[in-house]
Structures are given as structure tokens and as C-alpha cells.
């Protein structure tokens, strides 16, 4: 904890304290006159919802939100079971809607929702929407890497494809509860594979196709899949990535370590690589196109208990080993569908595009399950957002008439930078790449993955959304399954950079509603803070979308998330609340770095570096980066007798690329003859962070170091 305290920064200057009874009055300011009064009264940037938008929104006002929020926290069982009843259940859950223990002092951590209920999420995504007359509606618009290359599937067609694959998996011995690793890029086959697993009760584990073969081995060894689904290669921008080679290497390595995979189902992505050019192992590899289309398009659903596992998704933590976050079926289904509907104000006429990859949680909950459960039309994009030029996103928005656009701050920042460059280069029109397209269809924008700073928020709002579209800045995590804090578009004024208020059922805000005694911004001793404050973001009660355990490691689950502040789930994030009750996420306070919205553990990168034969020791910190948000900054101590060279730097970076993946490559290697350590040998990361960000006059107390001299050495080597 002391390390976390050092890392916790308050980025927002909080001024006078406003009595909280005034709060709801301010939040109701949706008419123009009220807005002006509100603006004048406030000392920061504020955006008032457009009245027309509010009138048509699912939640048209802050009052309505409060009414629903109040119900959701006072009667969670009633609130959520009413929503759950809108889904198809083969058998309804028992008398108890949920049971929970989030207090480690009271025994095993346990969360269950709708236990005893029998359902199937694939059935609810597809069959149910088809039964209600949406069979001919487009489920997926697929946009390839190359402009002009596209395809689409209606709900009927998607169901056929899913059933064929589900039948193939069944024929090959995949049963309920078995795990399946999916290592695919953003082809339609990726959501198809997820849904096919769900249909037969198999547990999918999607591995982001940017992970290296070693990372894949780690995941294979942990979840021991019956089969691996992949494709031969993918094009991203101008690059061709040979995925099959990566999988081959991983399967070879895992069989050496005792886990042999007998079947590798490979989709032939011939636009990226010809079948003939793909390395092949006859007894193990099968082309998807040779077998799946032969299977029947009818596949009975495997009804599963609401608490049966749906998927595993590995994420980074503060130790080297990735954590297998386990989500179950019923609660996750209800939660992703509901959060999607409200946070984007989803209507059946919307066309929705989320730029995330299905390899991350955002792609699970908000490319696949959440939108499909709502019967939405989803755009799935294979390529890179700046290929062939930085206007690609807006071309896609216009092509499909996208109404809801959900992306990450890192993309906003990079497009903002390119927009600025274009303006200088061509001097044609303001933000050329953006304004060359109409974007008229856009209704709601969304942001996820890291805090969005007010400047990028403004650009996203004013330029991309033409000052017309509310931005849902959604705070959540792999572990939470779905949104925990987000503006509801049209319901209340927005402050650029604030995630505003909690979603229904997120029980904790005493300052906003005096009757809810579950506050959860806590200080370092775990004391709950009220009103204007800054501390650690914790959650006191369960919600349907919560993860249930870390696969095969209940103990790690309990110690990582529930022991820092007994009685709470600790998110790992810092958060402050301003005088109006708005929440501002301040970033991770643990050893997790957020690079372009990707979570990377410092320990993982450190172990990848020390695997290099010439590296004796490494310490990794995150530093601010203009586009990526944070980047990886590594201090490396070489073994005796090794001198710094450009070749060595390159091969250290390569070591990280091979052991984890290219997205985790350090931006900077800082040569370190020694590392600042306490007398007990603990590396003082606080000092390293200051050196890395060149805040040299803020190094603080270095007297407790075993050898204070190393700090001067590091400063001398800073720009070498
Ligand atoms: C969904 C996702 C989770 C971490 C989380 C936090 C950061 C996500 C954010 C945000 C500020 C937001 N984060 N959304 N920080 N504002 N709107 O990204 O899951 O990959 O597990 O990362 O991302 O630090 O703890 P995941």
C-alpha cells in the first residue's frame, strides 16, 4: 500500500464545497436557461445535454436516473430479476436471486446471481432475436483491412454459421465445460467462434492475436483447451502477420511441457496468405473451410446453469503470471445487455461500431455479447484505424451510417494529432481527415480503457461529434464484465474527463444519496471517504457482471482483490470525487501500466527483460506518453562486463516482443549501473518514476536508500 499511496495523484483541483442537497438541482439543468445559470455557477468546463436528445433517451433526466438507481441499490434482487425476466430462461432461477460474500473476514469470497436458472447466452443473442422477427436484420457488417473489402451477416445467417461450427466442435469431442482457445484477428469468424462455444456450453478463452507464442503457451498450459481455433495470417495496415507460425511454435512448446493439442482448426484467410504457403501438420491441422461448411446449420442448445462458466480471459496483474478472469453465464448476460442499452441509449435503428478487438474484454462485452443480446447491428473492423490514412474511421462511419461509436482515448489522441498535421500540410479545412466526411449519422460517442483528458474529450466532442453527441466515458475492467461508471447520454451535464456517476447497482456513493450507506472511495487505511475526496476505488457489493474467480486460483483471487481493503473489492484504480459528486479516475495505483488502453504488468515486462542473457536486473515503470497514454520505460542493469550498445538495446526490446508481444515493447531502455533500493532490497519505484518522467526536482527523500549514489548515476545516464 505505501507504494500505491506514492503513485496516487489527484489530477483535479477541488475548490469550494457545495452542499450536496444542491446537487440534484444542478444536475437537472437541461433547459437552456438552466444551462446558462449552471455554466455561470461552475468553475470548470461543462457540457449540457441537448434537450431533443434527452427527450428521446431511455433515461431522460437525472431525476429518472436517481429513481432507477435508488431502486437498483435498495432492491437489487427485484431490480435485476425484473430485467433478467426479459431474457429466455429454459428454467427460472431459484428463490434467491443472488448471494454474495465480498468480506474476506467472513470466509470464502463468493458471488452468485440467478443460480439454478437454466439459459444459454448464444440462444439469447441469436434465436431469441430471430424469433422476435429480426432474422433478416444485419447482425454484423464486416469491414476488411483493405477499403472496399467487406461482408455482412443477417441474424439468420449468423445463426447458421454458429451452428455449423458448434456442430463441428461437438463432433470433435468438445463438451460442456471444456475450454477452447481462440487465437483469431477481427474476422467474422471470431465472434462466430465465441458464440459457437457458448452454444454448446464450452468455455472460450480468446487470446488477443497480438500476443506472442510464449504468451499463448502460458494460456494453453493454464486452461488446457480441447482445441485451438486460429487462421493462417492477417493483414493489418500494410503488414502481414503469420499467425499460424506463432500457433505452431506454441503448440510445439506446450506439448513439450506435457499439454498436447490434437486439433488446430485453421481459417484460411487467403487475402493475407495462400493456403499453399501455410506450414501444415496433417495429423493435427484442419482447414475451417474444408470441414465447417459441411456441418448442419441446426444445432441444439446446451442449457447451462446461470453460474456455469462462459469464458476465461487472461489479464495482467502485478505479478508475472497472467490471471485467468472467469465469467459465468447468467449475470454476465443480463449485465452486458443492460449496460449496453443504457450507456449508449441503444435503439433498434442504431448502427453500432466498437473499435476494440475481441481479444480484450471490451470486444467480449461490447463487440459481441452486449450488442447482439440487444439485437443490434454491429460493425466488425479487421484493419488498422489509420490505414490507408487517418481518415479511415470516418469513412467507415459514413459507409455504414454508424450512430454509436465506441473507442479508446489512445485512438482519439492519435487521430487528433493526425488531424492537426493534416491541417498544417494542406491548409484545406479544419481537421481535414475528419471533416472530409460528414459523420452526420453519429448520435453517441464512447470512450474506454483509460482516463480521457479534457483536451482529447473536447476534440472528440467538438470535432468528431460536431458538438452534438454525448460522450459515454465508461469506467470498467476485465473483472467487472461491464460498465460500472458511465454517463447516461442525455441524462445529465457532462464534465470533460469525468466518468460522472455509477451505473445501476453499483452500490457505494453516500455523498450523492444519503440513504445509501455504501461509500467506496477509501483512504490508505480503508476508511470510507465522503463528499469531495480522493482515494482508492472500491466496491462493496456484488453486481451481476462481476467475475467469479481467477481460474484455478481462488486464493490469488481473494488476496489480489479482496484483501487490501477487507470488506471491499479493490479495483486497483485511484479516483477522486469533486464538489458536485462527479467522479474522476486518476489511473492505476498498482504495478499495472496502461499502454494504449492495454493492461500490462510491470512484472511481466521485467521477467521478459531478465530472460535476456545479458540482463542482470530490470525495473519497469510507466511514464506519460502523448498518444499511448502511458508507455513502458525500463531501467536495465547489464551483467558484469557488458557495455551499453544500440544492438543490445534492440535485442532487449526484441526479448519483450517475443516473450509477451509487440504491444508491450519498452519505449525507452535506461541504462542502470545500479537500481535505487532500500536497505531491505526493495526497488524504490517512486524514484524511478520521477527519473523516467524527468521530474528530477521531485525525487523526494532518498536517504533511506542503501546507496543514494545510484540516483546521481541514473540522472547522468538519463539521456544517453
Ligand atoms: C475495459 C477495460 C481496466 C483498467 C481500469 C482502469 C482503466 C478503463 C477507463 C479506465 C479511466 C475509463 N480504465 N476504462 N480509466 N477511465 N473510462 O479497459 O478493461 O483492460 O481490464 O483495464 O483500465 O485503470 O482498471 P481492462
Amino acid at each position: 500500500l505505501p507504494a500505491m499511496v506514492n503513485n496516487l495523484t489527484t489530477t483535479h483541483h477541488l475548490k469550494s464545497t457545495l452542499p450536496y442537497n444542491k446537487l440534484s438541482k444542478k444536475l437537472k439543468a437541461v433547459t437552456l436557461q438552466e444551462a446558462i445559470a449552471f455554466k455561470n455557477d461552475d468553475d470548470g468546463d461543462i457540457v449540457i445535454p441537448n434537450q431533443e436528445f434527452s427527450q428521446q433517451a431511455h433515461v431522460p433526466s437525472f431525476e429518472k436516473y436517481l429513481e432507477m438507481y435508488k431502486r437498483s441499490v435498495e432492491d437489487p434482487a427485484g431490480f435485476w430479476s425484473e430485467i433478467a425476466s426479459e431474457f429466455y430462461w429454459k428454467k427460472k432461477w431459484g428463490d434467491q436471486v443472488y448471494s454474495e460474500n465480498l468480506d474476506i473476514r467472513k470466509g470464502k469470497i463468493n458471488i452468485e446471481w440467478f443460480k439454478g436458472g437454466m439459459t444459454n447466452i448464444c440462444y439469447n443473442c441469436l434465436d431469441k432475436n430471430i424469433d422476435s422477427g429480426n432474422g433478416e436484420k444485419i447482425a454484423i457488417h464486416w469491414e476488411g483491412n483493405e477499403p472496399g473489402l467487406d461482408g455482412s451477416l443477417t441474424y439468420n445467417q449468423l445463426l447458421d454459421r454458429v451452428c455449423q461450427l458448434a456442430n463441428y466442435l461437438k463432433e470433435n469431442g468438445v463438451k460442456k465445460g471444456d475450454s477452447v482457445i481462440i487465437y483469431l484477428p477481427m474476422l467474422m469468424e471470431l465472434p462466430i467462434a465465441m458464440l459457437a462455444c457458448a452454444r454448446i456450453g464450452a468455455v472460450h478463452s480468446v487470446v488477443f492475436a497480438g500476443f506472442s507464442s510464449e504468451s499463448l503457451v502460458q494460456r494453453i498450459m493454464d486452461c488446457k483447451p480441447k482445441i485451438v481455433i486460429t487462421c493462417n495470417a492477417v493483414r493489418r495496415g500494410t503488414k502481414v502477420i503469420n499467425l499460424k507460425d506463432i500457433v505452431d511454435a506454441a503448440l510445439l512448446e506446450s506439448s513439450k511441457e506435457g499439454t498436447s493439442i490434437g486439433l488446430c482448426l485453421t481459417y484460411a484467410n487467403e487475402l493475407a496468405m495462400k493456403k499453399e504457403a501455410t506450414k501444415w501438420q496433417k495429423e493435427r491441422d484442419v482447414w475451417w473451410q474444408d470441414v465447417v461448411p459441411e456441418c448442419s446449420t441446426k444445432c441444439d442448445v446446451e442449457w447451462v446453469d446461470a453460474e456455469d462458466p462462459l469464458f476465461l480471459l487472461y489479464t495482467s496483474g502485478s505479478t508475472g503470471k497472467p490471471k485467468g478472469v472467469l465469467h459465468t453465464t447468467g449475470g454476465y448476460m443480463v449485465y452486458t445487455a443492460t449496460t449496453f442499452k443504457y450507456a449508449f441509449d441503444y435503439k433498434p435503428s442504431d448502427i453500432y461500431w466498437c473499435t476494440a478487438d475481441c481479444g480484450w474484454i471490451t470486444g467480449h462485452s461490447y463487440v459481441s455479447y452486449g450488442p447482439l443480446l440487444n439485437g443490434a447491428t454491429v460493425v466488425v473492423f479487421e484493419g488498422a484505424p489509420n490505414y490507408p490514412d487517418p481518415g479511415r474511421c470516418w469513412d467507415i462511419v459514413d459507409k455504414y451510417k454508424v450512430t454509436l461509436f465506441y473507442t479508446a482515448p489512445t485512438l482519439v489522441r492519435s487521430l487528433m494529432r493526425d488531424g492537426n498535421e493534416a491541417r498544417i500540410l494542406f491548409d484545406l479545412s479544419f481537421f481535414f481527415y475528419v471533416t472530409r466526411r460528414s459523420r452526420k449519422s453519429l448520435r453517441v460517442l464512447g470512450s474506454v480503457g483509460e482516463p480521457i483528458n479534457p483536451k482529447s474529450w473536447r476534440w472528440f466532442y467538438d470535432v468528431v461529434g460536431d458538438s452534438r453527441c454525448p460522450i459515454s466515458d465508461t469506467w470498467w475492467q476485465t473483472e467487472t464484465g461491464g460498465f460500472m461508471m458511465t454517463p447516461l447520454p442525455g441524462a445529465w451535464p457532462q464534465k470533460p474527463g469525468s466518468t460522472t456517476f455509477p451505473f445501476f447497482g453499483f452500490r457505494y456513493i453516500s455523498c450523492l444519496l444519503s440513504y445509501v450507506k455504501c461509500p467506496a472511495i477509501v483512504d490508505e487505511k480503508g476508511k470510507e471517504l465522503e463528499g469531495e475526496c480522493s482515494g482508492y476505488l472500491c466496491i462493496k457489493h456484488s453486481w451481476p457482471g462481476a467475475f467469479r474467480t481467477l481460474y484455478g486460483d481462488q486464493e490469488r483471487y481473494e488476496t489480489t482483490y479482496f484483501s487490501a481493503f477487507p470488506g471491499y473489492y479493490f479495483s486497483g484504480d485511484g479516483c477522486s470525487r469533486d464538489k458536485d459528486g462527479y467522479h474522476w479516475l486518476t489511473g492505476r495505483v498498482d504495478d499495472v501500466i496502461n499502454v494504449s488502453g492495454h493492461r500490462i504488468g510491470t512484472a511481466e515486462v521485467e521477467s521478459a527483460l531478465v530472460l535476456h542473457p545479458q540482463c542482470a536486473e530490470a525495473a519497469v515503470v510507466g511514464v506519460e506518453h502523448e498518444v499511448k497514454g502511458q508507455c513502458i520505460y525500463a531501467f536495465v542493469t547489464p551483467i558484469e562486463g557488458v557495455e551499453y550498445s544500440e544492438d543490445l538495446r534492440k535485442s532487449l526490446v526484441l526479448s519483450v516482443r517475443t516473450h509477451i508481444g509487440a504491444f508491450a515493447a519498452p519505449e525507452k531502455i535506461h541504462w542502470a549501473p545500479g537500481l535505487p533500493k532500500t536497505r531491505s532490497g526493495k526497488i524504490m519505484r517512486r524514484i524511478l518514476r520521477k527519473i523516467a518522467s524527468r521530474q528530477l526536482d521531485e525525487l523526494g527523500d532518498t536517504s533511506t536508500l542503501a546507496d543514494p549514489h545510484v540516483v546521481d548515476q541514473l540522472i547522468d545516464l538519463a539521456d544517453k
Side-chain angles (χ1 to χ4, degrees), residues 130-148:
I130 292 169
D131 290 348
S132 56
N134 282 321
E136 287 308 303
K137 182 173 177 179
I138 302 282
I140 298 178
H141 278 301
W142 178 78
E143 170 79 6
N145 182 61
E146 304 303 320

Side-chain angles (χ1 to χ4, degrees), residues 315 360-362 447-452 473-479 499 571-573 585 587-588 594 597-599:
T315 188
W360 308 108
I361 190 68
T362 307
S447 172
V448 60
E450 54 174 316
I452 180 163
D473 179 2
T474 58
W475 176 79
W476 61 296
Q477 309 178 293
T478 305
E479 292 85 345
T499 53
S571 65
D573 279 317
L585 268 297
R588 300 286 308 193
N594 192 327
H598 299 154
R599 265 168 78 168

